[in-house]
Amino acid sequence: MSDLTPQQSTAQQDDEIDLGRLFGLLIDHKFLIIGITALFAVFGVIYAMLATPIYQGDALVQVEQRSTINPLEELDGMLGQGNESSASAEIQILQSRMVLGQVVDRIALDTSVTPRTLPVIGEFIRRRGIQRPDFMQESPYVWGGEHIKVSRLEVHDSYRGQPFTLKAEAATADQPAEYSLWREGERLGTGQVGQQSQFLDGDVIVNVTELEAHPGAEFTLTKLVRSSAINSLKNRLSVSELGGGGRNSSTGMLRLTLTGEDREEIRRALNAVTQTFLTQNVERQSAQAEQSLAFLEEQAPEIRGELDEAENRLNEFRVESQNVGLDSEAESAINRYIELEERLNELEFQEAELAERFTPSHPNYQSLLRQKRFVQEDLDELDARVSELPAAQQEIIRRTRDVEVNQAIYVNVLNKIQELQMTKAGTVGNVRIIDDALVGGAVAPRKPLIVMLATLIGGMLAVGGVLLVGLLRRGIEGPEQLEQAGLPVYASVPLSSRQQQLERRIKSAKSKHSSLVVTDVLARVEPADLAVEALRGLRTSLHFAMLEAGNRTLMITGASPEVGKS
């Protein structure tokens, strides 16, 4: 036997979830659930149709290892050619303000032209090309087929980020279309299509090349802050490397993707990004050659001046000492001087190049310094040998050496200048554009997914609402609850399936609606039915209850229509 009292048993039943009752609630409110779900589905369809489509374009570039077509192999090490380029570094360069800023300036991405459209459905009307109706001829909203093209919008820095309103004016047959420019409700002036116009004392310059709009149609012109335009482009641009299975492996293939609402703007912006990236890469590769070329071009006039001065001093000495000549030993010394001086000059030139890239503690820098010391030691040794010759021979050797060495250095510098010019002309960069920008179909919004999600959300909310209301408003579910409330329960009459078989719906000729007709009496057809027995018990209980009642009034009611009250 259970130790629970009837009240405790009832409370425990109240705490339990009756799955059958919940399922019954859903069945009873099936039309409400279907209606709410359908309503959400309709809203999903409307949103999917009205939402502005987002397109995506992509381009493919390759970052190669070699950067220069250079037949002068001795310059490869000096210019750093042959070094592998990090793909991650190139990705950062692609997304840098240096590159994106040039793109913004190149295709005027900081110029925003926005038509004034009807709320909510305005963009849908323009995309569908719906023409302006007759009753909205004076409307400032832009309809399908109406557009504007602004080739130039320049404003003073104080007006950047501030909107200007351009309003189409009535056009005549004998003059170009006109427009008026407004700011904060104040008319700034008028301009003609195809002509450059100035406003606010030249602080605002506008050039409208095309204007196809009904008089009164308005467009908002804004010159964005340059940093905002760059950040907007950066947020829409993504760069990723293709392939590269290992940690240190790199294919150098970079995929650029750009999203936006305007297909043409996406194509132009992507092509501008790749072209700007290619241009700056070439400039970066040839920058060191330009620095070396500038250094040599600066040194060449000085070396030429030293050569002229040395030749003059040699000629003066020969005029003064006509009997002094060069023997074989002196000529050998001069040739050796020329060789060592050329080598020392070459090492000094390389040291100037290395100093721009490395510190003196770098191994390559230290190796070059050791070579300079060796050459200097050979020069010191040669100077000691020459110092043993007669004074006249020493003087002629020194002056002849100055001429020959300066001449050799000058010729070497001229050759290097030509080589660097060829190197600069042959620089093509290590970036190659594989695929130009291609814009596909809309990638967002995903209309089937939106409708599906809206339908699911509507169904879940409808079912959840019905179940929540059912759990909060339980009502009277059993006779025990009435007995707890102090009301006597005389009988519980169950639903008879046999009674339902005795009911027929008959439609008369005079009425369009059918009526429910009982064809027989349940007590006669099925006297042992549970419903009949329950009614007999009710009759007996009422008989004894009415004996002590103060009146003989009896009311029969129910929780819903057609439960058998009649």
Side-chain angles (χ1 to χ4, degrees):
M1 296 179 63
S2 175
D3 295 334
L4 297 175
T5 64
Q7 291 80 4
Q8 293 174 335
S9 178
T10 303
Q12 182 177 6
Q13 292 177 2
D14 291 342
D15 294 337
E16 295 178 354
I17 298 178
D18 188 353
L19 297 180
R21 175 179 175 274
L22 297 180
F23 184 73
L25 285 174
L26 298 180
I27 296 298
D28 292 341
H29 298 84
K30 58 182 179 293
F31 294 110
L32 177 62
I33 294 174
I34 293 174
I36 295 176
T37 303
L39 182 62
F40 271 74
V42 171
F43 284 153
V45 172
I46 294 175
Y47 175 78
M49 293 179 62
L50 296 181
T52 302
I54 303 299
Y55 302 96
Q56 177 177 291
D58 58 40
L60 184 65
V61 299
Q62 180 184 13
V63 181
E64 299 173 332
Q65 294 183 3
R66 294 189 59 85
S67 60
T68 304
I69 303 174
N70 182 17
L72 307 172
E73 297 179 357
E74 64 273 17
L75 295 178
D76 288 350
M78 180 186 67
L79 298 180
Q81 297 165 13
N83 296 334
E84 294 188 4
S85 177
S86 171
S88 60
E90 299 297 338
I91 291 176
Q92 296 301 319
I93 293 174
L94 264 169
Q95 296 177 323
S96 66
R97 289 190 295 269
M98 176 187 67
V99 173
L100 300 185
Q102 295 181 32
V103 173
V104 169
D105 299 336
R106 187 173 181 177
I107 60 175
L109 287 181
D110 56 350
T111 299
S112 173
V113 181
T114 306
R116 182 179 178 182
T117 57
L118 287 169
V120 182
I121 63 173
E123 288 297 328
F124 175 79
I125 290 175
R126 294 188 66 242
R127 289 198 306 271
R128 295 294 179 177
I130 301 176
Q131 300 296 320
R132 180 186 296 267
D134 295 337
F135 65 89
M136 297 194 71
Q137 294 298 315
E138 302 299 327
S139 170
Y141 300 113
V142 177
W143 288 72
E146 300 178 351
H147 67 278
I148 188 175
K149 184 176 181 181
V150 180
S151 62
R152 184 182 181 187
L153 175 62
E154 298 293 339
V155 301
H156 189 268
D157 290 341
S158 60
Y159 294 112
R160 280 187 174 268
Q162 298 186 15
F164 293 85
T165 300
L166 187 147
K167 184 183 298 185
E169 300 292 340
T172 60
D174 57 347
Q175 65 179 7
E178 292 186 348
Y179 61 89
S180 58
L181 194 65
W182 301 69
R183 178 176 177 267
E184 297 180 353
E186 179 183 357
R187 185 186 179 102
L188 304 180
T190 60
Q192 289 186 347
V193 176
Q195 297 181 6
Q196 182 172 291
S197 303
Q198 296 184 4
F199 305 91
L200 294 176
D201 298 330
D203 288 344
V204 178
I205 301 176
V206 181
N207 189 0
V208 178
T209 55
E210 293 183 14
L211 179 58
E212 295 291 339
H214 194 273
E218 297 181 359
F219 299 84
T220 301
L221 308 184
T222 308
K223 193 68 174 181
L224 303 177
V225 178
R226 190 171 184 270
S227 59
S228 300
I230 294 175
N231 290 333
S232 176
L233 178 60
K234 184 177 181 180
N235 294 334
R236 296 188 292 126
L237 176 68
S238 63
V239 185
S240 59
E241 183 181 8
L242 301 182
R247 179 179 179 182
N248 298 323
S249 62
S250 176
T251 61
M253 303 295 292
L254 303 181
R255 172 75 68 184
L256 287 72
T257 57
L258 183 66
T259 58
E261 300 177 1
D262 189 345
R263 296 167 60 97
E264 180 61 22
E265 185 263 350
I266 294 174
R267 186 190 64 80
R268 292 189 300 111
L270 261 184
N271 284 333
V273 170
T274 55
Q275 290 294 338
T276 303
F277 181 53
L278 175 62
T279 301
Q280 69 82 29
N281 182 265
V282 174
E283 293 175 352
R284 184 178 49 164
Q285 295 294 334
S286 62
Q288 194 164 358
E290 291 180 357
Q291 295 176 359
S292 302
L293 186 59
F295 173 75
L296 290 178
E297 290 177 345
E298 181 182 353
Q299 295 296 321
E302 297 181 4
I303 298 174
R304 179 63 186 178
E306 294 176 359
L307 175 59
D308 293 339
E309 184 179 353
E311 289 178 347
N312 293 333
R313 287 191 284 108
L314 177 61
N315 293 332
E316 291 176 357
F317 183 76
R318 283 178 175 175
V319 171
E320 295 175 358
S321 305
Q322 297 181 356
N323 297 327
V324 178
L326 294 175
D327 56 14
S328 61
E329 185 177 359
E331 290 181 356
S332 176
I334 291 175
N335 291 333
R336 181 61 176 164
Y337 269 122
I338 295 173
E339 180 183 350
L340 293 176
E341 290 287 354
E342 286 182 351
R343 178 58 180 160
L344 184 61
N345 182 74
E346 179 69 25
L347 292 175
E348 290 177 350
F349 174 71
Q350 293 183 12
E351 182 182 4
E353 297 294 334
L354 289 177
E356 297 179 358
R357 294 186 294 163
F358 307 113
T359 61
S361 60
H362 193 274
N364 292 346
Y365 205 115
Q366 290 293 322
S367 175
L368 185 140
L369 293 178
R370 285 194 297 270
Q371 296 179 42
K372 283 187 64 178
R373 279 199 307 270
F374 294 151
V375 175
Q376 190 62 48
E377 290 174 0
D378 291 341
L379 277 173
D380 295 340
E381 182 181 352
L382 184 58
D383 287 338
R385 287 168 49 194
V386 172
S387 63
E388 298 176 358
L389 297 176
Q393 288 290 328
Q394 293 182 31
E395 187 65 24
I396 191 66
I397 288 175
R398 282 194 297 269
R399 298 197 180 194
T400 304
R401 181 195 67 178
D402 292 341
V403 172
E404 296 294 339
V405 169
N406 285 328
Q407 185 176 8
I409 293 175
Y410 183 67
V411 172
N412 186 40
V413 168
L414 294 180
N415 291 335
K416 288 295 184 181
I417 290 176
Q418 293 179 356
E419 292 173 357
L420 289 172
Q421 288 174 345
M422 294 176 60
T423 301
K424 180 181 178 182
T427 303
V428 296
N430 65 333
V431 171
R432 186 161 60 109
I433 300 176
I434 305 300
D435 292 334
D436 290 328
L438 179 64
V439 183
V443 296
R446 300 174 62 180
K447 297 180 180 180
L449 180 61
I450 289 177
V451 175
M452 186 189 313
L453 289 177
T455 304
L456 290 177
I457 292 174
M460 293 171 60
L461 291 178
V463 171
V466 168
L467 294 179
L468 180 62
V469 172
L471 291 175
L472 295 178
R473 298 174 60 184
R474 299 178 65 89
I476 303 300
E477 300 179 355
E480 298 84 1
Q481 294 175 269
L482 295 175
E483 292 176 351
Q484 291 178 3
L487 299 176
V489 178
Y490 297 111
S492 297
V493 181
L495 178 65
S496 174
S497 57
R498 180 60 176 162
Q499 175 67 33
Q500 294 177 344
Q501 296 176 359
L502 298 177
E503 297 174 354
R504 295 287 187 275
R505 285 195 172 275
I506 300 177
K507 184 177 181 181
S508 61
K510 297 181 180 180
S511 176
K512 296 181 179 180
H513 303 285
S514 59
S515 57
L516 188 64
V517 177
V518 179
T519 60
D520 211 330
V521 180
L522 178 64
R524 188 184 67 82
V525 177
E526 197 72 35
D529 190 84
L530 294 178
V532 176
E533 293 294 336
L535 290 173
R536 292 192 183 108
L538 175 62
R539 179 192 61 185
T540 302
S541 299
L542 288 176
H543 174 72
F544 291 103
M546 295 295 290
L547 294 177
E548 300 178 358
N551 56 60
R552 295 182 177 275
T553 303
L554 181 66
M555 182 184 72
I556 299 176
T557 185
S560 62
E562 299 183 359
V563 294
K565 300 184 296 296
S566 302

